[in-house]
Amino acid sequence: MAQLSKYEEALSKYNVDLNDEEIAEKVRKIIAEKVPENDRVEVKKFLMGSVELTTLKTTDSDESVLAFTEKVNQFEDAYPELPHVATICVYPCFAKIVSESLEVEGVEVACVSGSFPSSQARIEVKIAETALAVQDGATEIDIVMPVGKFLSGDYESVCDDISELKQACGDAPMKVILETGDLKTASNIKKASILSMYAGADYIKTSTGKEKISATPEAAYVMCQAIKEYYDETGIQIGFKPAGGLNTVSDALIYYTIVKEVLGEKWLTNKWLRLGTSRLANLLLSEIIGKETKFF
């Protein structure tokens, strides 16, 4: 009970009793009033530099991931005036291939780990997978919060899971995926955000992209609120990553605007704001250069 009360005490410092309709209205207002002013080439260039270029397919192979990485290497020569992507994100079994073939300085190697996308495995298995990914060259790790445990109210097990995987990451920053579509309510998203940050998350991330509902502006708004309140409470800056369902440049501009309005300029760097996507890079590039292109 003492352990459980520790997490209840952490939650008690924040307003987690949220009204979904009120959140939706605030988001509608931000989108209507603020997004148009951010629809600029400079913002799209920034967003290009925040993309986590992602391939998480059942059909991924050594050859396809190597070709994927080579595209990032070639991009710097093809578009030297544009920022390179922030990260290449792959399954842990490809960490070594990416880390050994990636030539562009400043691009991180991210691996989804801990029995992605379900997080349904023994903690020993998740720790081993995470440690091996880091050993093979992953410089960032994305894990999934154990959603079933959270929805059962077992906050202690949720936080223990996250903390143990954080230790397995060593110095590599860890992103915790909340799978917000499965959490359903703003209150649950706020609680999951706070618990993940207290347990050791360096970033919180919306979704795996493998569930029916992925990232939404409403979930992003609540998560950014939580990050801001946690920063005000602890002085610790946590990054934000919307992922799953980022299908258009307009989607990217909406998430950028929410971060700008809720968190402010301090989060508008490619360290603190990431976009998990595979298709968005080509769309941003097309708008930046003014013609349709499929580089990646």
Side-chain angles (χ1 to χ4, degrees):
M1 290 298 294
Q3 277 292 97
L4 185 61
S5 67
K6 181 171 77 172
Y7 301 113
E8 296 291 347
E9 184 183 340
L11 290 173
S12 73
K13 297 177 182 178
Y14 303 88
N15 175 25
V16 295
D17 185 18
L18 303 180
N19 181 292
D20 291 335
E21 290 181 6
E22 287 178 7
I23 297 294
E25 182 54 39
K26 288 176 180 176
V27 170
R28 276 194 293 270
K29 189 174 183 188
I30 287 174
I31 292 173
E33 295 179 3
K34 300 294 184 178
V35 170
E37 68 191 44
N38 294 319
D39 189 0
R40 309 190 314 272
V41 171
E42 294 78 14
V43 172
K44 292 167 189 174
K45 286 181 180 178
F46 164 79
L47 291 169
M48 188 83 198
S50 288
V51 164
E52 295 206 354
L53 202 65
T54 303
T55 182
L56 298 171
K57 301 191 188 89
T58 304
T59 54
D60 286 343
S61 64
D62 289 356
E63 292 77 17
S64 70
V65 171
L66 180 60
F68 192 71
T69 307
E70 281 302 316
K71 281 291 185 181
V72 175
N73 291 337
Q74 294 160 9
F75 182 83
E76 193 165 55
D77 290 332
Y79 300 97
E81 74 285 1
L82 296 181
H84 56 65
V85 297
T87 306
I88 296 176
C89 185
V90 295
Y91 283 112
C93 53
F94 300 116
K96 195 173 182 67
I97 290 169
V98 177
S99 63
E100 290 181 350
S101 58
L102 181 62
E103 299 167 0
V104 184
E105 191 174 337
V107 177
E108 303 292 342
V109 181
C111 284
V112 294
S113 184
S115 194
F116 177 95
S118 69
S119 194
Q120 300 287 17
R122 289 175 58 130
I123 187 62
E124 295 88 349
V125 173
K126 295 196 275 189
I127 287 169
E129 184 182 39
T130 301
L132 287 168
V134 174
Q135 182 180 301
D136 281 350
T139 58
E140 296 182 355
I141 294 291
D142 292 28
I143 67 160
V144 183
M145 180 189 77
V147 177
K149 290 176 181 176
F150 174 85
L151 292 174
S152 299
D154 188 359
Y155 299 156
E156 181 179 355
S157 293
V158 169
C159 292
D160 284 350
D161 232 57
I162 294 169
S163 296
E164 290 191 51
L165 288 171
K166 172 62 178 171
Q167 289 178 26
C169 289
D171 295 331
M174 184 180 75
K175 309 184 195 90
V176 176
I177 304 166
L178 307 184
E179 204 64 284
T180 52
D182 291 339
L183 299 181
K184 299 190 186 307
T185 68
S187 289
N188 276 345
I189 293 168
K190 185 79 172 282
K191 289 176 188 175
S193 298
I194 292 162
L195 291 173
S196 296
M197 291 186 285
Y198 267 99
D202 297 292
Y203 294 76
I204 52 176
K205 174 178 168 181
T206 58
S207 330
T208 62
K210 304 296 186 183
E211 296 288 272
K212 288 181 181 178
I213 301 174
S214 291
T216 66
E218 292 77 16
Y221 180 85
V222 173
M223 291 170 70
C224 288
Q225 271 192 325
I227 290 170
K228 178 67 164 62
E229 291 173 24
Y230 183 79
Y231 178 73
D232 291 343
E233 175 73 26
T234 66
I236 300 169
Q237 187 170 5
I238 302 295
F240 173 61
K241 179 180 174 182
L246 275 69
N247 297 321
T248 68
V249 172
S250 177
D251 291 336
L253 291 171
I254 286 170
Y255 290 114
Y256 171 90
T257 303
I258 290 169
V259 170
K260 183 179 179 182
E261 294 301 313
V262 178
L263 289 170
E265 298 286 339
K266 190 169 185 176
W267 270 262
L268 295 181
T269 75
N270 75 345
K271 176 179 179 180
W272 298 111
L273 172 59
R274 298 285 181 75
L275 305 171
T277 181
S278 51
R279 59 180 66 85
L280 188 60
N282 282 329
L283 297 175
L284 283 166
L285 181 60
S286 296
E287 292 214 5
I288 290 165
I289 66 176
K291 64 177 181 180
E292 185 177 0
T293 184
K294 294 182 179 178
F295 184 88
F296 294 103

Short mmCIF file of all heavy atoms in Angstrom, two decimals, residues 127-165:
data_model
loop_
_atom_site.label_atom_id
_atom_site.label_comp_id
_atom_site.label_asym_id
_atom_site.label_seq_id
_atom_site.Cartn_x
_atom_site.Cartn_y
_atom_site.Cartn_z
N ILE A 127 13.53 -6.27 -20.72
CA ILE A 127 14.83 -5.70 -20.32
C ILE A 127 15.93 -6.20 -21.26
O ILE A 127 16.76 -5.42 -21.73
CB ILE A 127 15.15 -6.06 -18.86
CG1 ILE A 127 14.26 -5.25 -17.90
CG2 ILE A 127 16.63 -5.81 -18.54
CD1 ILE A 127 14.32 -5.72 -16.46
N ALA A 128 15.92 -7.49 -21.53
CA ALA A 128 16.96 -8.06 -22.41
C ALA A 128 16.92 -7.44 -23.80
O ALA A 128 17.95 -7.07 -24.37
CB ALA A 128 16.79 -9.58 -22.49
N GLU A 129 15.71 -7.32 -24.35
CA GLU A 129 15.57 -6.75 -25.69
C GLU A 129 16.07 -5.30 -25.72
O GLU A 129 16.77 -4.89 -26.66
CB GLU A 129 14.11 -6.80 -26.13
CG GLU A 129 13.91 -6.30 -27.56
CD GLU A 129 12.45 -6.30 -27.99
OE1 GLU A 129 11.58 -5.96 -27.17
OE2 GLU A 129 12.20 -6.63 -29.16
N THR A 130 15.75 -4.56 -24.68
CA THR A 130 16.16 -3.15 -24.61
C THR A 130 17.67 -3.02 -24.47
O THR A 130 18.31 -2.23 -25.18
CB THR A 130 15.45 -2.47 -23.42
OG1 THR A 130 14.04 -2.57 -23.61
CG2 THR A 130 15.85 -1.01 -23.31
N ALA A 131 18.25 -3.79 -23.57
CA ALA A 131 19.70 -3.74 -23.36
C ALA A 131 20.46 -4.14 -24.62
O ALA A 131 21.49 -3.54 -24.97
CB ALA A 131 20.09 -4.63 -22.18
N LEU A 132 19.96 -5.15 -25.33
CA LEU A 132 20.62 -5.59 -26.56
C LEU A 132 20.53 -4.53 -27.66
O LEU A 132 21.47 -4.35 -28.44
CB LEU A 132 20.00 -6.90 -27.03
CG LEU A 132 20.38 -8.15 -26.21
CD1 LEU A 132 19.48 -9.32 -26.58
CD2 LEU A 132 21.85 -8.51 -26.40
N ALA A 133 19.40 -3.83 -27.72
CA ALA A 133 19.24 -2.77 -28.72
C ALA A 133 20.27 -1.67 -28.48
O ALA A 133 20.91 -1.17 -29.42
CB ALA A 133 17.83 -2.20 -28.66
N VAL A 134 20.44 -1.28 -27.23
CA VAL A 134 21.43 -0.25 -26.89
C VAL A 134 22.83 -0.76 -27.20
O VAL A 134 23.67 -0.04 -27.76
CB VAL A 134 21.29 0.17 -25.41
CG1 VAL A 134 22.42 1.12 -25.01
CG2 VAL A 134 19.94 0.82 -25.16
N GLN A 135 23.09 -2.01 -26.86
CA GLN A 135 24.40 -2.62 -27.15
C GLN A 135 24.70 -2.62 -28.64
O GLN A 135 25.85 -2.43 -29.06
CB GLN A 135 24.41 -4.05 -26.62
CG GLN A 135 25.72 -4.80 -26.80
CD GLN A 135 25.63 -6.21 -26.24
OE1 GLN A 135 25.35 -6.40 -25.07
NE2 GLN A 135 25.84 -7.21 -27.09
N ASP A 136 23.65 -2.78 -29.46
CA ASP A 136 23.82 -2.82 -30.91
C ASP A 136 23.86 -1.44 -31.56
O ASP A 136 23.96 -1.34 -32.78
CB ASP A 136 22.70 -3.63 -31.55
CG ASP A 136 22.92 -5.13 -31.42
OD1 ASP A 136 24.03 -5.54 -31.02
OD2 ASP A 136 21.99 -5.91 -31.71
N GLY A 137 23.73 -0.38 -30.77
CA GLY A 137 23.89 0.96 -31.32
C GLY A 137 22.70 1.88 -31.24
O GLY A 137 22.76 3.01 -31.72
N ALA A 138 21.59 1.43 -30.66
CA ALA A 138 20.45 2.33 -30.49
C ALA A 138 20.83 3.46 -29.55
O ALA A 138 21.39 3.23 -28.47
CB ALA A 138 19.25 1.57 -29.93
N THR A 139 20.53 4.68 -29.96
CA THR A 139 20.83 5.84 -29.12
C THR A 139 19.57 6.39 -28.45
O THR A 139 19.66 7.28 -27.61
CB THR A 139 21.49 6.96 -29.95
OG1 THR A 139 20.62 7.34 -31.03
CG2 THR A 139 22.82 6.49 -30.52
N GLU A 140 18.40 5.86 -28.83
CA GLU A 140 17.13 6.18 -28.18
C GLU A 140 16.26 4.93 -28.18
O GLU A 140 16.35 4.12 -29.11
CB GLU A 140 16.40 7.32 -28.91
CG GLU A 140 17.14 8.65 -28.87
CD GLU A 140 16.38 9.79 -29.55
OE1 GLU A 140 15.32 9.54 -30.15
OE2 GLU A 140 16.87 10.93 -29.49
N ILE A 141 15.43 4.80 -27.16
CA ILE A 141 14.55 3.65 -27.03
C ILE A 141 13.11 4.10 -26.85
O ILE A 141 12.83 5.00 -26.05
CB ILE A 141 14.97 2.77 -25.82
CG1 ILE A 141 16.34 2.14 -26.04
CG2 ILE A 141 13.91 1.71 -25.51
CD1 ILE A 141 16.38 1.06 -27.12
N ASP A 142 12.20 3.47 -27.61
CA ASP A 142 10.76 3.73 -27.46
C ASP A 142 10.10 2.47 -26.88
O ASP A 142 10.19 1.39 -27.49
CB ASP A 142 10.11 4.03 -28.82
CG ASP A 142 10.57 5.35 -29.43
OD1 ASP A 142 11.71 5.77 -29.13
OD2 ASP A 142 9.81 5.94 -30.21
N ILE A 143 9.48 2.61 -25.71
CA ILE A 143 8.77 1.47 -25.11
C ILE A 143 7.29 1.80 -25.01
O ILE A 143 6.89 2.95 -25.12
CB ILE A 143 9.31 1.12 -23.71
CG1 ILE A 143 9.00 2.25 -22.71
CG2 ILE A 143 10.81 0.82 -23.76
CD1 ILE A 143 9.05 1.84 -21.26
N VAL A 144 6.48 0.77 -24.79
CA VAL A 144 5.04 0.95 -24.62
C VAL A 144 4.68 0.76 -23.16
O VAL A 144 5.07 -0.24 -22.55
CB VAL A 144 4.24 -0.05 -25.49
CG1 VAL A 144 2.74 0.21 -25.35
CG2 VAL A 144 4.66 0.06 -26.95
N MET A 145 3.99 1.72 -22.59
CA MET A 145 3.47 1.58 -21.24
C MET A 145 2.57 0.34 -21.18
O MET A 145 1.80 0.10 -22.12
CB MET A 145 2.64 2.82 -20.88
CG MET A 145 2.03 2.80 -19.50
SD MET A 145 0.86 4.16 -19.25
CE MET A 145 -0.57 3.56 -20.17
N PRO A 146 2.64 -0.46 -20.12
CA PRO A 146 1.72 -1.60 -20.01
C PRO A 146 0.28 -1.13 -19.79
O PRO A 146 -0.14 -0.87 -18.66
CB PRO A 146 2.26 -2.40 -18.82
CG PRO A 146 3.16 -1.50 -18.08
CD PRO A 146 3.62 -0.43 -19.02
N VAL A 147 -0.42 -0.98 -20.88
CA VAL A 147 -1.75 -0.33 -20.87
C VAL A 147 -2.75 -1.13 -20.04
O VAL A 147 -3.56 -0.55 -19.30
CB VAL A 147 -2.26 -0.12 -22.31
CG1 VAL A 147 -3.66 0.49 -22.30
CG2 VAL A 147 -1.30 0.78 -23.09
N GLY A 148 -2.72 -2.46 -20.16
CA GLY A 148 -3.65 -3.28 -19.40
C GLY A 148 -3.50 -3.08 -17.91
O GLY A 148 -4.50 -2.98 -17.17
N LYS A 149 -2.26 -3.01 -17.44
CA LYS A 149 -2.01 -2.77 -16.02
C LYS A 149 -2.53 -1.40 -15.60
O LYS A 149 -3.10 -1.23 -14.52
CB LYS A 149 -0.52 -2.89 -15.71
CG LYS A 149 0.02 -4.31 -15.82
CD LYS A 149 1.53 -4.34 -15.61
CE LYS A 149 2.07 -5.76 -15.75
NZ LYS A 149 3.54 -5.81 -15.64
N PHE A 150 -2.32 -0.41 -16.47
CA PHE A 150 -2.79 0.94 -16.15
C PHE A 150 -4.31 0.96 -16.03
O PHE A 150 -4.87 1.50 -15.06
CB PHE A 150 -2.35 1.94 -17.22
CG PHE A 150 -2.93 3.31 -17.02
CD1 PHE A 150 -2.33 4.22 -16.18
CD2 PHE A 150 -4.12 3.68 -17.65
CE1 PHE A 150 -2.88 5.48 -15.96
CE2 PHE A 150 -4.68 4.93 -17.45
CZ PHE A 150 -4.06 5.83 -16.60
N LEU A 151 -5.00 0.36 -16.99
CA LEU A 151 -6.46 0.38 -16.97
C LEU A 151 -7.03 -0.43 -15.80
O LEU A 151 -8.16 -0.20 -15.38
CB LEU A 151 -7.01 -0.15 -18.30
CG LEU A 151 -6.74 0.74 -19.53
CD1 LEU A 151 -7.18 0.04 -20.81
CD2 LEU A 151 -7.41 2.10 -19.39
N SER A 152 -6.23 -1.35 -15.27
CA SER A 152 -6.64 -2.12 -14.09
C SER A 152 -6.37 -1.36 -12.80
O SER A 152 -6.72 -1.83 -11.71
CB SER A 152 -5.89 -3.46 -14.04
OG SER A 152 -6.19 -4.24 -15.17
N GLY A 153 -5.72 -0.20 -12.91
CA GLY A 153 -5.41 0.60 -11.73
C GLY A 153 -4.13 0.18 -11.02
O GLY A 153 -3.85 0.65 -9.91
N ASP A 154 -3.35 -0.69 -11.64
CA ASP A 154 -2.11 -1.17 -11.03
C ASP A 154 -0.96 -0.23 -11.38
O ASP A 154 -0.05 -0.57 -12.14
CB ASP A 154 -1.82 -2.60 -11.50
CG ASP A 154 -0.66 -3.25 -10.76
OD1 ASP A 154 -0.07 -2.58 -9.88
OD2 ASP A 154 -0.33 -4.40 -11.08
N TYR A 155 -1.01 0.96 -10.81
CA TYR A 155 -0.03 1.99 -11.14
C TYR A 155 1.39 1.61 -10.69
O TYR A 155 2.37 1.99 -11.32
CB TYR A 155 -0.43 3.33 -10.52
CG TYR A 155 -1.75 3.86 -11.00
CD1 TYR A 155 -2.48 4.76 -10.22
CD2 TYR A 155 -2.29 3.48 -12.22
CE1 TYR A 155 -3.71 5.27 -10.65
CE2 TYR A 155 -3.51 3.98 -12.66
CZ TYR A 155 -4.21 4.87 -11.87
OH TYR A 155 -5.42 5.36 -12.30
N GLU A 156 1.47 0.86 -9.60
CA GLU A 156 2.79 0.44 -9.11
C GLU A 156 3.50 -0.42 -10.14
O GLU A 156 4.67 -0.19 -10.47
CB GLU A 156 2.64 -0.33 -7.80
CG GLU A 156 3.98 -0.76 -7.22
CD GLU A 156 3.82 -1.50 -5.90
OE1 GLU A 156 2.70 -1.59 -5.38
OE2 GLU A 156 4.85 -1.98 -5.40
N SER A 157 2.80 -1.40 -10.70
CA SER A 157 3.42 -2.27 -11.71
C SER A 157 3.76 -1.50 -12.98
O SER A 157 4.79 -1.75 -13.61
CB SER A 157 2.49 -3.44 -12.05
OG SER A 157 2.35 -4.31 -10.95
N VAL A 158 2.89 -0.56 -13.37
CA VAL A 158 3.16 0.28 -14.54
C VAL A 158 4.48 1.03 -14.35
O VAL A 158 5.36 1.01 -15.22
CB VAL A 158 2.01 1.29 -14.76
CG1 VAL A 158 2.40 2.33 -15.81
CG2 VAL A 158 0.74 0.57 -15.20
N CYS A 159 4.62 1.67 -13.20
CA CYS A 159 5.80 2.49 -12.95
C CYS A 159 7.05 1.63 -12.76
O CYS A 159 8.15 2.02 -13.19
CB CYS A 159 5.57 3.40 -11.75
SG CYS A 159 4.34 4.68 -12.05
N ASP A 160 6.89 0.48 -12.13
CA ASP A 160 8.04 -0.43 -11.98
C ASP A 160 8.55 -0.88 -13.35
O ASP A 160 9.77 -0.93 -13.58
CB ASP A 160 7.64 -1.66 -11.15
CG ASP A 160 7.53 -1.36 -9.67
OD1 ASP A 160 7.93 -0.26 -9.24
OD2 ASP A 160 7.02 -2.22 -8.93
N ASP A 161 7.64 -1.20 -14.25
CA ASP A 161 8.00 -1.61 -15.61
C ASP A 161 8.82 -0.52 -16.30
O ASP A 161 9.90 -0.78 -16.86
CB ASP A 161 6.71 -1.84 -16.41
CG ASP A 161 6.68 -3.20 -17.09
OD1 ASP A 161 6.81 -4.20 -16.37
OD2 ASP A 161 6.51 -3.23 -18.33
N ILE A 162 8.28 0.69 -16.25
CA ILE A 162 8.95 1.82 -16.92
C ILE A 162 10.31 2.08 -16.30
O ILE A 162 11.32 2.29 -17.00
CB ILE A 162 8.06 3.08 -16.86
CG1 ILE A 162 6.78 2.86 -17.69
CG2 ILE A 162 8.81 4.31 -17.34
CD1 ILE A 162 5.72 3.92 -17.50
N SER A 163 10.39 2.06 -14.97
CA SER A 163 11.65 2.34 -14.27
C SER A 163 12.72 1.30 -14.60
O SER A 163 13.89 1.65 -14.82
CB SER A 163 11.42 2.37 -12.76
OG SER A 163 10.57 3.42 -12.40
N GLU A 164 12.32 0.03 -14.64
CA GLU A 164 13.30 -1.02 -14.94
C GLU A 164 13.81 -0.93 -16.37
O GLU A 164 14.99 -1.16 -16.64
CB GLU A 164 12.69 -2.39 -14.67
CG GLU A 164 12.47 -2.66 -13.18
CD GLU A 164 12.12 -4.10 -12.89
OE1 GLU A 164 12.85 -5.00 -13.35
OE2 GLU A 164 11.11 -4.33 -12.21
N LEU A 165 12.93 -0.56 -17.28
CA LEU A 165 13.37 -0.41 -18.67
C LEU A 165 14.23 0.84 -18.84
O LEU A 165 15.17 0.85 -19.64
CB LEU A 165 12.16 -0.37 -19.61
CG LEU A 165 11.47 -1.73 -19.76
CD1 LEU A 165 10.15 -1.60 -20.51
CD2 LEU A 165 12.39 -2.72 -20.47
#
